[in-house]
Amino acid sequence: MNLHNFGCNKIYVISRDDATKRRKDFSDVWDMFVDFEYVFVDAIKGEDIEVESTVFYDKVASFCKNIYATNISHRKIYEMIISNEEPIDSTYLILEDDVRPTDYFFESIENGVLENTINDLKKYTWDLFYWGRQQKKIHSLRYTDNLAIPTLFTDFGAHSYSISKAFA
């Protein structure tokens, strides 16, 4: 199955440098696809950053040093994108190392939805494209048959999205 790099110039995968098993598990799943060329980017680790503990008061633990470190890891990729020699209209797929294809993803390959989505993205100028979550429908307004604009910004994650160089 050919993924055409999700229509992007490059794919970055955020992963801790000591996460050998996670990297292997990611590769075991995604290496079955043709034209899915990615590079691992060493994540910033929560234990490697200094932050006042009062910044992270959160009863439900949805925001902690590790989440903050992940945010810094995404910023690290943005800086890599900005400083590279690619043209300003280049696009990049950013994944976290625990992202996995779902049954819906495989269906979208088989029924042509993924390819149509990639083709639709090539027709428009965009800054950020969110690829979705595992088996959750995101409330949105239809833009095309395959593209939608989210209306509720809840329950988002940064595990799989594409970004334009201009937006980085």
Side-chain angles (χ1 to χ4, degrees), residues 42-77:
D42 293 342
I44 307 299
K45 301 172 191 171
E47 61 263 25
D48 292 341
I49 59 175
E50 298 272 336
V51 181
E52 290 182 37
S53 61
T54 56
V55 172
F56 294 104
Y57 176 74
D58 182 1
K59 286 183 179 180
V60 294
S62 63
F63 191 69
C64 60
K65 277 180 73 170
N66 287 334
I67 297 297
Y68 184 59
T70 302
N71 175 276
I72 296 170
S73 299
H74 284 264
R75 284 187 52 210
K76 177 180 175 180
I77 291 176

PDB file of all heavy atoms in Angstrom, residues 42-77:
ATOM      1  N   ASP A  42      14.614  12.879  18.319  1.00  0.00           N
ATOM      2  CA  ASP A  42      14.721  12.616  19.754  1.00  0.00           C
ATOM      3  C   ASP A  42      13.870  13.609  20.536  1.00  0.00           C
ATOM      4  O   ASP A  42      14.024  14.822  20.405  1.00  0.00           O
ATOM      5  CB  ASP A  42      16.178  12.711  20.211  1.00  0.00           C
ATOM      6  CG  ASP A  42      17.039  11.599  19.635  1.00  0.00           C
ATOM      7  OD1 ASP A  42      16.482  10.583  19.173  1.00  0.00           O
ATOM      8  OD2 ASP A  42      18.273  11.761  19.644  1.00  0.00           O
ATOM      9  N   ALA A  43      12.972  13.049  21.323  1.00  0.00           N
ATOM     10  CA  ALA A  43      12.067  13.866  22.135  1.00  0.00           C
ATOM     11  C   ALA A  43      12.819  14.490  23.309  1.00  0.00           C
ATOM     12  O   ALA A  43      13.806  13.948  23.799  1.00  0.00           O
ATOM     13  CB  ALA A  43      10.925  12.997  22.668  1.00  0.00           C
ATOM     14  N   ILE A  44      12.315  15.628  23.739  1.00  0.00           N
ATOM     15  CA  ILE A  44      12.771  16.229  24.989  1.00  0.00           C
ATOM     16  C   ILE A  44      12.090  15.441  26.108  1.00  0.00           C
ATOM     17  O   ILE A  44      10.895  15.156  26.045  1.00  0.00           O
ATOM     18  CB  ILE A  44      12.374  17.722  25.061  1.00  0.00           C
ATOM     19  CG1 ILE A  44      12.842  18.482  23.817  1.00  0.00           C
ATOM     20  CG2 ILE A  44      12.864  18.349  26.362  1.00  0.00           C
ATOM     21  CD1 ILE A  44      14.335  18.487  23.598  1.00  0.00           C
ATOM     22  N   LYS A  45      12.834  15.092  27.127  1.00  0.00           N
ATOM     23  CA  LYS A  45      12.289  14.287  28.223  1.00  0.00           C
ATOM     24  C   LYS A  45      11.880  15.185  29.381  1.00  0.00           C
ATOM     25  O   LYS A  45      12.562  16.166  29.692  1.00  0.00           O
ATOM     26  CB  LYS A  45      13.343  13.296  28.709  1.00  0.00           C
ATOM     27  CG  LYS A  45      13.817  12.352  27.640  1.00  0.00           C
ATOM     28  CD  LYS A  45      14.986  11.533  28.137  1.00  0.00           C
ATOM     29  CE  LYS A  45      15.634  10.791  26.997  1.00  0.00           C
ATOM     30  NZ  LYS A  45      16.893  10.158  27.396  1.00  0.00           N
ATOM     31  N   GLY A  46      10.789  14.832  30.028  1.00  0.00           N
ATOM     32  CA  GLY A  46      10.306  15.585  31.179  1.00  0.00           C
ATOM     33  C   GLY A  46      11.357  15.716  32.267  1.00  0.00           C
ATOM     34  O   GLY A  46      11.503  16.771  32.882  1.00  0.00           O
ATOM     35  N   GLU A  47      12.111  14.651  32.472  1.00  0.00           N
ATOM     36  CA  GLU A  47      13.122  14.698  33.533  1.00  0.00           C
ATOM     37  C   GLU A  47      14.318  15.583  33.178  1.00  0.00           C
ATOM     38  O   GLU A  47      15.142  15.896  34.037  1.00  0.00           O
ATOM     39  CB  GLU A  47      13.608  13.289  33.913  1.00  0.00           C
ATOM     40  CG  GLU A  47      14.271  12.524  32.790  1.00  0.00           C
ATOM     41  CD  GLU A  47      13.349  11.551  32.063  1.00  0.00           C
ATOM     42  OE1 GLU A  47      12.125  11.755  32.060  1.00  0.00           O
ATOM     43  OE2 GLU A  47      13.879  10.589  31.502  1.00  0.00           O
ATOM     44  N   ASP A  48      14.394  16.010  31.933  1.00  0.00           N
ATOM     45  CA  ASP A  48      15.513  16.856  31.500  1.00  0.00           C
ATOM     46  C   ASP A  48      15.197  18.350  31.509  1.00  0.00           C
ATOM     47  O   ASP A  48      16.045  19.153  31.134  1.00  0.00           O
ATOM     48  CB  ASP A  48      15.979  16.459  30.098  1.00  0.00           C
ATOM     49  CG  ASP A  48      16.629  15.080  30.086  1.00  0.00           C
ATOM     50  OD1 ASP A  48      17.032  14.603  31.159  1.00  0.00           O
ATOM     51  OD2 ASP A  48      16.723  14.492  28.995  1.00  0.00           O
ATOM     52  N   ILE A  49      13.976  18.707  31.889  1.00  0.00           N
ATOM     53  CA  ILE A  49      13.632  20.132  31.897  1.00  0.00           C
ATOM     54  C   ILE A  49      13.390  20.602  33.328  1.00  0.00           C
ATOM     55  O   ILE A  49      12.957  19.836  34.178  1.00  0.00           O
ATOM     56  CB  ILE A  49      12.408  20.449  31.002  1.00  0.00           C
ATOM     57  CG1 ILE A  49      11.168  19.680  31.455  1.00  0.00           C
ATOM     58  CG2 ILE A  49      12.719  20.170  29.547  1.00  0.00           C
ATOM     59  CD1 ILE A  49       9.909  20.036  30.704  1.00  0.00           C
ATOM     60  N   GLU A  50      13.685  21.852  33.544  1.00  0.00           N
ATOM     61  CA  GLU A  50      13.491  22.478  34.855  1.00  0.00           C
ATOM     62  C   GLU A  50      12.296  23.421  34.762  1.00  0.00           C
ATOM     63  O   GLU A  50      12.279  24.316  33.931  1.00  0.00           O
ATOM     64  CB  GLU A  50      14.742  23.283  35.251  1.00  0.00           C
ATOM     65  CG  GLU A  50      16.002  22.460  35.391  1.00  0.00           C
ATOM     66  CD  GLU A  50      16.161  21.889  36.777  1.00  0.00           C
ATOM     67  OE1 GLU A  50      15.590  22.450  37.719  1.00  0.00           O
ATOM     68  OE2 GLU A  50      16.855  20.865  36.898  1.00  0.00           O
ATOM     69  N   VAL A  51      11.314  23.179  35.613  1.00  0.00           N
ATOM     70  CA  VAL A  51      10.130  24.017  35.645  1.00  0.00           C
ATOM     71  C   VAL A  51       9.664  24.109  37.087  1.00  0.00           C
ATOM     72  O   VAL A  51       9.723  23.124  37.823  1.00  0.00           O
ATOM     73  CB  VAL A  51       8.985  23.431  34.782  1.00  0.00           C
ATOM     74  CG1 VAL A  51       7.766  24.320  34.797  1.00  0.00           C
ATOM     75  CG2 VAL A  51       9.445  23.199  33.353  1.00  0.00           C
ATOM     76  N   GLU A  52       9.189  25.292  37.476  1.00  0.00           N
ATOM     77  CA  GLU A  52       8.643  25.426  38.823  1.00  0.00           C
ATOM     78  C   GLU A  52       7.455  24.492  38.976  1.00  0.00           C
ATOM     79  O   GLU A  52       6.576  24.449  38.129  1.00  0.00           O
ATOM     80  CB  GLU A  52       8.190  26.864  39.069  1.00  0.00           C
ATOM     81  CG  GLU A  52       9.324  27.854  39.183  1.00  0.00           C
ATOM     82  CD  GLU A  52       8.797  29.239  39.480  1.00  0.00           C
ATOM     83  OE1 GLU A  52       7.813  29.359  40.240  1.00  0.00           O
ATOM     84  OE2 GLU A  52       9.375  30.189  38.943  1.00  0.00           O
ATOM     85  N   SER A  53       7.416  23.755  40.053  1.00  0.00           N
ATOM     86  CA  SER A  53       6.343  22.779  40.245  1.00  0.00           C
ATOM     87  C   SER A  53       4.968  23.426  40.322  1.00  0.00           C
ATOM     88  O   SER A  53       3.971  22.803  39.975  1.00  0.00           O
ATOM     89  CB  SER A  53       6.599  21.936  41.490  1.00  0.00           C
ATOM     90  OG  SER A  53       6.629  22.762  42.626  1.00  0.00           O
ATOM     91  N   THR A  54       4.888  24.676  40.753  1.00  0.00           N
ATOM     92  CA  THR A  54       3.582  25.333  40.854  1.00  0.00           C
ATOM     93  C   THR A  54       2.953  25.551  39.483  1.00  0.00           C
ATOM     94  O   THR A  54       1.747  25.698  39.377  1.00  0.00           O
ATOM     95  CB  THR A  54       3.711  26.694  41.566  1.00  0.00           C
ATOM     96  OG1 THR A  54       4.658  27.490  40.863  1.00  0.00           O
ATOM     97  CG2 THR A  54       4.126  26.516  43.008  1.00  0.00           C
ATOM     98  N   VAL A  55       3.750  25.537  38.442  1.00  0.00           N
ATOM     99  CA  VAL A  55       3.214  25.698  37.086  1.00  0.00           C
ATOM    100  C   VAL A  55       2.337  24.511  36.716  1.00  0.00           C
ATOM    101  O   VAL A  55       1.414  24.623  35.933  1.00  0.00           O
ATOM    102  CB  VAL A  55       4.376  25.841  36.066  1.00  0.00           C
ATOM    103  CG1 VAL A  55       3.866  25.810  34.644  1.00  0.00           C
ATOM    104  CG2 VAL A  55       5.157  27.111  36.337  1.00  0.00           C
ATOM    105  N   PHE A  56       2.580  23.364  37.328  1.00  0.00           N
ATOM    106  CA  PHE A  56       1.922  22.142  36.919  1.00  0.00           C
ATOM    107  C   PHE A  56       0.878  21.636  37.908  1.00  0.00           C
ATOM    108  O   PHE A  56       0.657  20.454  38.023  1.00  0.00           O
ATOM    109  CB  PHE A  56       2.962  21.054  36.655  1.00  0.00           C
ATOM    110  CG  PHE A  56       3.821  21.378  35.481  1.00  0.00           C
ATOM    111  CD1 PHE A  56       5.106  21.823  35.654  1.00  0.00           C
ATOM    112  CD2 PHE A  56       3.319  21.278  34.201  1.00  0.00           C
ATOM    113  CE1 PHE A  56       5.891  22.149  34.579  1.00  0.00           C
ATOM    114  CE2 PHE A  56       4.085  21.604  33.114  1.00  0.00           C
ATOM    115  CZ  PHE A  56       5.376  22.037  33.301  1.00  0.00           C
ATOM    116  N   TYR A  57       0.236  22.538  38.608  1.00  0.00           N
ATOM    117  CA  TYR A  57      -0.844  22.109  39.491  1.00  0.00           C
ATOM    118  C   TYR A  57      -2.034  21.710  38.629  1.00  0.00           C
ATOM    119  O   TYR A  57      -2.615  22.526  37.928  1.00  0.00           O
ATOM    120  CB  TYR A  57      -1.245  23.207  40.470  1.00  0.00           C
ATOM    121  CG  TYR A  57      -2.420  22.789  41.319  1.00  0.00           C
ATOM    122  CD1 TYR A  57      -2.249  21.860  42.339  1.00  0.00           C
ATOM    123  CD2 TYR A  57      -3.680  23.282  41.063  1.00  0.00           C
ATOM    124  CE1 TYR A  57      -3.320  21.442  43.099  1.00  0.00           C
ATOM    125  CE2 TYR A  57      -4.763  22.865  41.819  1.00  0.00           C
ATOM    126  CZ  TYR A  57      -4.573  21.942  42.832  1.00  0.00           C
ATOM    127  OH  TYR A  57      -5.639  21.528  43.574  1.00  0.00           O
ATOM    128  N   ASP A  58      -2.363  20.461  38.644  1.00  0.00           N
ATOM    129  CA  ASP A  58      -3.434  19.939  37.803  1.00  0.00           C
ATOM    130  C   ASP A  58      -3.996  18.696  38.480  1.00  0.00           C
ATOM    131  O   ASP A  58      -3.359  17.658  38.510  1.00  0.00           O
ATOM    132  CB  ASP A  58      -2.872  19.617  36.418  1.00  0.00           C
ATOM    133  CG  ASP A  58      -3.924  19.109  35.462  1.00  0.00           C
ATOM    134  OD1 ASP A  58      -5.109  19.010  35.841  1.00  0.00           O
ATOM    135  OD2 ASP A  58      -3.562  18.807  34.314  1.00  0.00           O
ATOM    136  N   LYS A  59      -5.211  18.801  39.005  1.00  0.00           N
ATOM    137  CA  LYS A  59      -5.816  17.701  39.762  1.00  0.00           C
ATOM    138  C   LYS A  59      -5.969  16.426  38.935  1.00  0.00           C
ATOM    139  O   LYS A  59      -5.893  15.335  39.457  1.00  0.00           O
ATOM    140  CB  LYS A  59      -7.189  18.116  40.289  1.00  0.00           C
ATOM    141  CG  LYS A  59      -7.137  19.079  41.434  1.00  0.00           C
ATOM    142  CD  LYS A  59      -8.550  19.355  41.914  1.00  0.00           C
ATOM    143  CE  LYS A  59      -8.525  20.314  43.084  1.00  0.00           C
ATOM    144  NZ  LYS A  59      -9.871  20.602  43.554  1.00  0.00           N
ATOM    145  N   VAL A  60      -6.226  16.561  37.638  1.00  0.00           N
ATOM    146  CA  VAL A  60      -6.448  15.375  36.819  1.00  0.00           C
ATOM    147  C   VAL A  60      -5.193  14.938  36.067  1.00  0.00           C
ATOM    148  O   VAL A  60      -5.232  14.008  35.286  1.00  0.00           O
ATOM    149  CB  VAL A  60      -7.608  15.591  35.815  1.00  0.00           C
ATOM    150  CG1 VAL A  60      -8.920  15.742  36.544  1.00  0.00           C
ATOM    151  CG2 VAL A  60      -7.326  16.756  34.906  1.00  0.00           C
ATOM    152  N   ALA A  61      -4.103  15.616  36.291  1.00  0.00           N
ATOM    153  CA  ALA A  61      -2.807  15.247  35.707  1.00  0.00           C
ATOM    154  C   ALA A  61      -2.816  15.228  34.183  1.00  0.00           C
ATOM    155  O   ALA A  61      -2.134  14.441  33.557  1.00  0.00           O
ATOM    156  CB  ALA A  61      -2.329  13.920  36.266  1.00  0.00           C
ATOM    157  N   SER A  62      -3.625  16.070  33.583  1.00  0.00           N
ATOM    158  CA  SER A  62      -3.622  16.133  32.124  1.00  0.00           C
ATOM    159  C   SER A  62      -2.516  17.042  31.603  1.00  0.00           C
ATOM    160  O   SER A  62      -2.217  17.035  30.424  1.00  0.00           O
ATOM    161  CB  SER A  62      -4.980  16.598  31.596  1.00  0.00           C
ATOM    162  OG  SER A  62      -5.238  17.906  32.059  1.00  0.00           O
ATOM    163  N   PHE A  63      -1.915  17.826  32.496  1.00  0.00           N
ATOM    164  CA  PHE A  63      -0.796  18.666  32.102  1.00  0.00           C
ATOM    165  C   PHE A  63       0.317  18.480  33.119  1.00  0.00           C
ATOM    166  O   PHE A  63       0.154  18.778  34.287  1.00  0.00           O
ATOM    167  CB  PHE A  63      -1.217  20.139  32.013  1.00  0.00           C
ATOM    168  CG  PHE A  63      -0.180  21.001  31.350  1.00  0.00           C
ATOM    169  CD1 PHE A  63       0.080  20.866  30.001  1.00  0.00           C
ATOM    170  CD2 PHE A  63       0.549  21.921  32.083  1.00  0.00           C
ATOM    171  CE1 PHE A  63       1.042  21.639  29.382  1.00  0.00           C
ATOM    172  CE2 PHE A  63       1.508  22.703  31.475  1.00  0.00           C
ATOM    173  CZ  PHE A  63       1.758  22.567  30.110  1.00  0.00           C
ATOM    174  N   CYS A  64       1.428  17.948  32.677  1.00  0.00           N
ATOM    175  CA  CYS A  64       2.544  17.655  33.565  1.00  0.00           C
ATOM    176  C   CYS A  64       3.851  17.940  32.839  1.00  0.00           C
ATOM    177  O   CYS A  64       3.846  18.364  31.680  1.00  0.00           O
ATOM    178  CB  CYS A  64       2.485  16.197  34.012  1.00  0.00           C
ATOM    179  SG  CYS A  64       2.585  15.049  32.619  1.00  0.00           S
ATOM    180  N   LYS A  65       4.969  17.686  33.484  1.00  0.00           N
ATOM    181  CA  LYS A  65       6.266  17.951  32.855  1.00  0.00           C
ATOM    182  C   LYS A  65       6.446  17.157  31.570  1.00  0.00           C
ATOM    183  O   LYS A  65       7.020  17.654  30.605  1.00  0.00           O
ATOM    184  CB  LYS A  65       7.404  17.643  33.831  1.00  0.00           C
ATOM    185  CG  LYS A  65       7.683  18.780  34.790  1.00  0.00           C
ATOM    186  CD  LYS A  65       8.804  18.453  35.746  1.00  0.00           C
ATOM    187  CE  LYS A  65      10.129  18.482  35.061  1.00  0.00           C
ATOM    188  NZ  LYS A  65      11.272  18.402  35.990  1.00  0.00           N
ATOM    189  N   ASN A  66       5.954  15.935  31.527  1.00  0.00           N
ATOM    190  CA  ASN A  66       6.114  15.129  30.313  1.00  0.00           C
ATOM    191  C   ASN A  66       5.300  15.702  29.150  1.00  0.00           C
ATOM    192  O   ASN A  66       5.756  15.696  28.006  1.00  0.00           O
ATOM    193  CB  ASN A  66       5.738  13.673  30.572  1.00  0.00           C
ATOM    194  CG  ASN A  66       6.777  12.967  31.404  1.00  0.00           C
ATOM    195  OD1 ASN A  66       7.947  13.339  31.411  1.00  0.00           O
ATOM    196  ND2 ASN A  66       6.363  11.943  32.132  1.00  0.00           N
ATOM    197  N   ILE A  67       4.107  16.191  29.439  1.00  0.00           N
ATOM    198  CA  ILE A  67       3.297  16.826  28.393  1.00  0.00           C
ATOM    199  C   ILE A  67       3.986  18.102  27.920  1.00  0.00           C
ATOM    200  O   ILE A  67       4.056  18.384  26.722  1.00  0.00           O
ATOM    201  CB  ILE A  67       1.871  17.128  28.902  1.00  0.00           C
ATOM    202  CG1 ILE A  67       1.146  15.841  29.265  1.00  0.00           C
ATOM    203  CG2 ILE A  67       1.084  17.944  27.882  1.00  0.00           C
ATOM    204  CD1 ILE A  67       0.907  14.888  28.112  1.00  0.00           C
ATOM    205  N   TYR A  68       4.504  18.868  28.849  1.00  0.00           N
ATOM    206  CA  TYR A  68       5.237  20.089  28.502  1.00  0.00           C
ATOM    207  C   TYR A  68       6.477  19.752  27.663  1.00  0.00           C
ATOM    208  O   TYR A  68       6.766  20.410  26.664  1.00  0.00           O
ATOM    209  CB  TYR A  68       5.616  20.843  29.763  1.00  0.00           C
ATOM    210  CG  TYR A  68       6.302  22.165  29.508  1.00  0.00           C
ATOM    211  CD1 TYR A  68       5.673  23.167  28.778  1.00  0.00           C
ATOM    212  CD2 TYR A  68       7.586  22.397  29.990  1.00  0.00           C
ATOM    213  CE1 TYR A  68       6.302  24.374  28.530  1.00  0.00           C
ATOM    214  CE2 TYR A  68       8.218  23.610  29.759  1.00  0.00           C
ATOM    215  CZ  TYR A  68       7.572  24.593  29.022  1.00  0.00           C
ATOM    216  OH  TYR A  68       8.197  25.779  28.784  1.00  0.00           O
ATOM    217  N   ALA A  69       7.197  18.702  28.043  1.00  0.00           N
ATOM    218  CA  ALA A  69       8.374  18.279  27.278  1.00  0.00           C
ATOM    219  C   ALA A  69       7.977  17.851  25.865  1.00  0.00           C
ATOM    220  O   ALA A  69       8.697  18.133  24.903  1.00  0.00           O
ATOM    221  CB  ALA A  69       9.090  17.145  28.008  1.00  0.00           C
ATOM    222  N   THR A  70       6.835  17.201  25.745  1.00  0.00           N
ATOM    223  CA  THR A  70       6.350  16.816  24.415  1.00  0.00           C
ATOM    224  C   THR A  70       6.078  18.055  23.574  1.00  0.00           C
ATOM    225  O   THR A  70       6.415  18.108  22.389  1.00  0.00           O
ATOM    226  CB  THR A  70       5.085  15.940  24.529  1.00  0.00           C
ATOM    227  OG1 THR A  70       5.406  14.779  25.305  1.00  0.00           O
ATOM    228  CG2 THR A  70       4.571  15.530  23.166  1.00  0.00           C
ATOM    229  N   ASN A  71       5.481  19.073  24.198  1.00  0.00           N
ATOM    230  CA  ASN A  71       5.254  20.339  23.505  1.00  0.00           C
ATOM    231  C   ASN A  71       6.566  20.927  23.005  1.00  0.00           C
ATOM    232  O   ASN A  71       6.660  21.388  21.862  1.00  0.00           O
ATOM    233  CB  ASN A  71       4.539  21.311  24.443  1.00  0.00           C
ATOM    234  CG  ASN A  71       4.374  22.673  23.836  1.00  0.00           C
ATOM    235  OD1 ASN A  71       5.288  23.503  23.896  1.00  0.00           O
ATOM    236  ND2 ASN A  71       3.217  22.918  23.251  1.00  0.00           N
ATOM    237  N   ILE A  72       7.584  20.896  23.837  1.00  0.00           N
ATOM    238  CA  ILE A  72       8.899  21.407  23.435  1.00  0.00           C
ATOM    239  C   ILE A  72       9.460  20.564  22.278  1.00  0.00           C
ATOM    240  O   ILE A  72      10.105  21.088  21.365  1.00  0.00           O
ATOM    241  CB  ILE A  72       9.871  21.429  24.637  1.00  0.00           C
ATOM    242  CG1 ILE A  72       9.373  22.416  25.697  1.00  0.00           C
ATOM    243  CG2 ILE A  72      11.280  21.812  24.194  1.00  0.00           C
ATOM    244  CD1 ILE A  72      10.136  22.330  27.016  1.00  0.00           C
ATOM    245  N   SER A  73       9.187  19.271  22.288  1.00  0.00           N
ATOM    246  CA  SER A  73       9.636  18.393  21.198  1.00  0.00           C
ATOM    247  C   SER A  73       8.991  18.786  19.876  1.00  0.00           C
ATOM    248  O   SER A  73       9.641  18.773  18.828  1.00  0.00           O
ATOM    249  CB  SER A  73       9.319  16.933  21.532  1.00  0.00           C
ATOM    250  OG  SER A  73       9.980  16.524  22.707  1.00  0.00           O
ATOM    251  N   HIS A  74       7.705  19.136  19.920  1.00  0.00           N
ATOM    252  CA  HIS A  74       7.036  19.603  18.704  1.00  0.00           C
ATOM    253  C   HIS A  74       7.677  20.908  18.228  1.00  0.00           C
ATOM    254  O   HIS A  74       7.929  21.075  17.028  1.00  0.00           O
ATOM    255  CB  HIS A  74       5.532  19.789  18.948  1.00  0.00           C
ATOM    256  CG  HIS A  74       4.786  18.499  19.000  1.00  0.00           C
ATOM    257  ND1 HIS A  74       4.134  17.976  17.907  1.00  0.00           N
ATOM    258  CD2 HIS A  74       4.588  17.622  20.014  1.00  0.00           C
ATOM    259  CE1 HIS A  74       3.566  16.831  18.241  1.00  0.00           C
ATOM    260  NE2 HIS A  74       3.829  16.592  19.527  1.00  0.00           N
ATOM    261  N   ARG A  75       7.954  21.808  19.163  1.00  0.00           N
ATOM    262  CA  ARG A  75       8.625  23.072  18.811  1.00  0.00           C
ATOM    263  C   ARG A  75       9.992  22.813  18.190  1.00  0.00           C
ATOM    264  O   ARG A  75      10.407  23.514  17.266  1.00  0.00           O
ATOM    265  CB  ARG A  75       8.768  23.968  20.039  1.00  0.00           C
ATOM    266  CG  ARG A  75       7.458  24.637  20.409  1.00  0.00           C
ATOM    267  CD  ARG A  75       7.621  25.658  21.507  1.00  0.00           C
ATOM    268  NE  ARG A  75       8.680  26.605  21.183  1.00  0.00           N
ATOM    269  CZ  ARG A  75       9.424  27.206  22.089  1.00  0.00           C
ATOM    270  NH1 ARG A  75       9.254  26.959  23.366  1.00  0.00           N
ATOM    271  NH2 ARG A  75      10.342  28.051  21.728  1.00  0.00           N
ATOM    272  N   LYS A  76      10.682  21.802  18.677  1.00  0.00           N
ATOM    273  CA  LYS A  76      11.986  21.429  18.122  1.00  0.00           C
ATOM    274  C   LYS A  76      11.845  21.088  16.634  1.00  0.00           C
ATOM    275  O   LYS A  76      12.669  21.500  15.813  1.00  0.00           O
ATOM    276  CB  LYS A  76      12.534  20.227  18.908  1.00  0.00           C
ATOM    277  CG  LYS A  76      13.833  19.668  18.410  1.00  0.00           C
ATOM    278  CD  LYS A  76      14.244  18.473  19.288  1.00  0.00           C
ATOM    279  CE  LYS A  76      15.484  17.784  18.788  1.00  0.00           C
ATOM    280  NZ  LYS A  76      15.855  16.639  19.643  1.00  0.00           N
ATOM    281  N   ILE A  77      10.796  20.361  16.295  1.00  0.00           N
ATOM    282  CA  ILE A  77      10.560  20.016  14.892  1.00  0.00           C
ATOM    283  C   ILE A  77      10.231  21.271  14.084  1.00  0.00           C
ATOM    284  O   ILE A  77      10.708  21.435  12.961  1.00  0.00           O
ATOM    285  CB  ILE A  77       9.466  18.944  14.760  1.00  0.00           C
ATOM    286  CG1 ILE A  77       9.983  17.624  15.317  1.00  0.00           C
ATOM    287  CG2 ILE A  77       9.024  18.789  13.303  1.00  0.00           C
ATOM    288  CD1 ILE A  77       8.981  16.508  15.333  1.00  0.00           C
TER     289      ILE A  77
END
